Short mmCIF file of all heavy atoms in Angstrom, two decimals:
data_model
loop_
_atom_site.label_atom_id
_atom_site.label_comp_id
_atom_site.label_asym_id
_atom_site.label_seq_id
_atom_site.Cartn_x
_atom_site.Cartn_y
_atom_site.Cartn_z
N ASP A 1081 12.73 21.58 -13.36
CA ASP A 1081 14.11 21.41 -12.88
C ASP A 1081 15.05 22.45 -13.49
O ASP A 1081 15.93 22.99 -12.82
CB ASP A 1081 14.61 20.00 -13.19
CG ASP A 1081 14.12 18.98 -12.17
OD1 ASP A 1081 13.45 19.39 -11.21
OD2 ASP A 1081 14.40 17.78 -12.34
N PHE A 1082 14.86 22.73 -14.78
CA PHE A 1082 15.76 23.66 -15.46
C PHE A 1082 15.58 25.09 -14.96
O PHE A 1082 16.54 25.84 -14.83
CB PHE A 1082 15.52 23.61 -16.98
CG PHE A 1082 16.59 24.31 -17.78
CD1 PHE A 1082 17.78 23.66 -18.10
CD2 PHE A 1082 16.42 25.63 -18.20
CE1 PHE A 1082 18.78 24.31 -18.82
CE2 PHE A 1082 17.40 26.28 -18.92
CZ PHE A 1082 18.59 25.62 -19.23
N ARG A 1085 16.20 24.85 -10.56
CA ARG A 1085 17.43 24.29 -9.99
C ARG A 1085 18.64 24.87 -10.73
O ARG A 1085 18.91 24.51 -11.87
CB ARG A 1085 17.44 22.77 -10.11
CG ARG A 1085 16.21 22.08 -9.52
CD ARG A 1085 16.23 22.10 -8.02
NE ARG A 1085 15.09 21.38 -7.46
CZ ARG A 1085 14.81 21.33 -6.16
NH1 ARG A 1085 15.60 21.94 -5.30
NH2 ARG A 1085 13.76 20.69 -5.73
N LYS A 1086 19.35 25.77 -10.07
CA LYS A 1086 20.48 26.44 -10.72
C LYS A 1086 21.58 25.46 -11.12
O LYS A 1086 22.19 25.59 -12.17
CB LYS A 1086 21.05 27.51 -9.79
CG LYS A 1086 20.12 28.68 -9.54
CD LYS A 1086 20.76 29.70 -8.62
CE LYS A 1086 19.83 30.88 -8.38
NZ LYS A 1086 20.43 31.90 -7.47
N GLU A 1087 21.81 24.47 -10.26
CA GLU A 1087 22.87 23.51 -10.54
C GLU A 1087 22.55 22.66 -11.76
O GLU A 1087 23.46 22.24 -12.50
CB GLU A 1087 23.14 22.63 -9.33
CG GLU A 1087 22.01 21.69 -8.93
CD GLU A 1087 20.96 22.33 -8.04
OE1 GLU A 1087 20.90 23.58 -8.00
OE2 GLU A 1087 20.21 21.59 -7.38
N ILE A 1088 21.27 22.41 -12.02
CA ILE A 1088 20.87 21.65 -13.20
C ILE A 1088 20.97 22.53 -14.45
O ILE A 1088 21.46 22.11 -15.50
CB ILE A 1088 19.45 21.09 -13.03
CG1 ILE A 1088 19.43 20.04 -11.91
CG2 ILE A 1088 18.94 20.47 -14.33
CD1 ILE A 1088 18.07 19.46 -11.62
N ALA A 1089 20.52 23.79 -14.34
CA ALA A 1089 20.60 24.72 -15.46
C ALA A 1089 22.05 24.96 -15.88
O ALA A 1089 22.34 25.18 -17.06
CB ALA A 1089 19.92 26.03 -15.10
N ALA A 1090 22.96 24.91 -14.90
CA ALA A 1090 24.38 25.12 -15.21
C ALA A 1090 24.99 23.91 -15.93
O ALA A 1090 25.99 24.04 -16.64
CB ALA A 1090 25.14 25.40 -13.93
N LYS A 1091 24.36 22.75 -15.76
CA LYS A 1091 24.91 21.51 -16.33
C LYS A 1091 24.41 21.26 -17.75
O LYS A 1091 25.10 20.60 -18.55
CB LYS A 1091 24.52 20.35 -15.41
CG LYS A 1091 25.17 19.03 -15.74
CD LYS A 1091 24.79 17.98 -14.70
CE LYS A 1091 25.40 16.62 -15.02
NZ LYS A 1091 25.02 15.61 -13.99
N TYR A 1092 23.23 21.77 -18.09
CA TYR A 1092 22.63 21.52 -19.40
C TYR A 1092 22.39 22.84 -20.13
O TYR A 1092 22.04 23.85 -19.52
CB TYR A 1092 21.31 20.75 -19.25
CG TYR A 1092 21.51 19.39 -18.60
CD1 TYR A 1092 21.41 19.25 -17.21
CD2 TYR A 1092 21.83 18.28 -19.36
CE1 TYR A 1092 21.60 18.01 -16.61
CE2 TYR A 1092 22.02 17.04 -18.76
CZ TYR A 1092 21.92 16.91 -17.39
OH TYR A 1092 22.13 15.70 -16.80
N LYS A 1093 22.58 22.81 -21.44
CA LYS A 1093 22.51 24.03 -22.24
C LYS A 1093 21.08 24.56 -22.39
O LYS A 1093 20.88 25.76 -22.51
CB LYS A 1093 23.10 23.78 -23.63
CG LYS A 1093 24.58 23.44 -23.62
CD LYS A 1093 25.07 23.15 -25.03
CE LYS A 1093 26.55 22.78 -25.02
NZ LYS A 1093 27.05 22.45 -26.39
#
Side-chain angles (χ1 to χ4, degrees):
D1081 279 357
F1082 192 83
R1085 306 286 183 185
K1086 292 181 180 180
E1087 66 275 18
I1088 293 178
K1091 188 176 178 180
Y1092 298 92
K1093 296 178 181 178

